[in-house]
Amino acid sequence: PLKSGYVKSQLFSSYRRKPILPPNYDKDYYKGIGVAPTEEEIRYKNPLNYMIKKSLQEKRQKKPRKENAPKRSRVKEIKKNK
């Protein structure tokens, strides 16, 4: 069994590091593991950006818009705040 001090030090050191992002689609990494990104995925260059854009698109599609609700104008909000 591992000592508790060793486990704690490993956990603390792992949280101090910056997160490692996945490699871009144009790298040979994906060809090496046998994954072929689609044209849509390649357009975003990075898998993380692709997933963020896709999740935002899905949220927009699921959110029903009220037909009678007036559109909010950013210019009007700025003038109100002044």
Side-chain angles (χ1 to χ4, degrees), residues 13 27 43 50-51 56 61 73:
S13 67
K27 305 293 181 193
R43 191 174 73 207
Y50 174 73
M51 292 305 298
L56 289 175
Q61 290 174 355
S73 173

Side-chain angles (χ1 to χ4, degrees), residues 4 15 19 36 41-42 47-49 53 63 74 81:
S4 63
Y15 284 114
E41 292 171 337
I42 292 174
L48 190 60
N49 292 340
K53 294 287 183 177
K63 185 178 178 182
R74 180 77 178 136
N81 292 336

Side-chain angles (χ1 to χ4, degrees), residues 20-53:
I20 300 172
L21 299 176
N24 289 348
Y25 284 124
D26 59 350
K27 305 293 181 193
D28 291 332
Y29 174 79
Y30 296 101
K31 292 177 186 173
I33 62 172
V35 175
T38 63
E39 290 294 323
E40 182 183 13
E41 292 171 337
I42 292 174
R43 191 174 73 207
Y44 290 104
K45 294 184 181 179
N46 190 294
L48 190 60
N49 292 340
Y50 174 73
M51 292 305 298
I52 291 170
K53 294 287 183 177

